[in-house]
Amino acid sequence: MNELKKIDKEKMIIRACHTCSKISEANQELERCLHCGKAFLPLRYFEKIHDFKGESWKKHFSYADELENEDLIKGLFVLW
């Protein structure tokens, strides 16, 4: 009997820049567009900003494994 091996693949965040319309892929939310440099806010910004309290801004950008489809902005993000 052949055993199927589970292939662990990391989730990717695919994002379209709302300024230059270029597509970027990463394992974590991007702070800036890789093409034009436009700064991005993290997903679920209004939930996270209340807990900011002087912590590092980078902490608010989630990894793809921490996100669900409900967290995404339709038309700008895809989890793959």
Side-chain angles (χ1 to χ4, degrees), residues 18-35:
H18 57 282
T19 301
C20 70
S21 301
K22 300 287 185 179
I23 305 294
S24 300
E25 295 180 10
N27 292 335
Q28 184 179 18
E29 289 181 79
L30 296 172
E31 293 182 50
R32 295 190 171 276
C33 176
L34 300 175
H35 305 280

Side-chain angles (χ1 to χ4, degrees), residues 14-73:
I14 301 171
R15 181 190 174 120
C17 177
H18 57 282
T19 301
C20 70
S21 301
K22 300 287 185 179
I23 305 294
S24 300
E25 295 180 10
N27 292 335
Q28 184 179 18
E29 289 181 79
L30 296 172
E31 293 182 50
R32 295 190 171 276
C33 176
L34 300 175
H35 305 280
C36 71
K38 171 71 177 161
F40 298 138
L41 289 173
L43 289 169
R44 298 187 340 245
Y45 170 78
F46 291 107
E47 293 173 25
K48 294 176 181 179
I49 197 64
H50 297 294
D51 297 328
F52 186 60
K53 300 178 186 170
E55 295 175 13
S56 172
W57 182 245
K58 290 183 179 230
K59 177 184 177 240
H60 298 289
F61 290 87
S62 300
Y63 286 93
D65 294 338
E66 301 169 342
L67 297 171
E68 299 296 329
N69 284 330
E70 297 82 29
D71 300 326
L72 305 179
I73 299 170

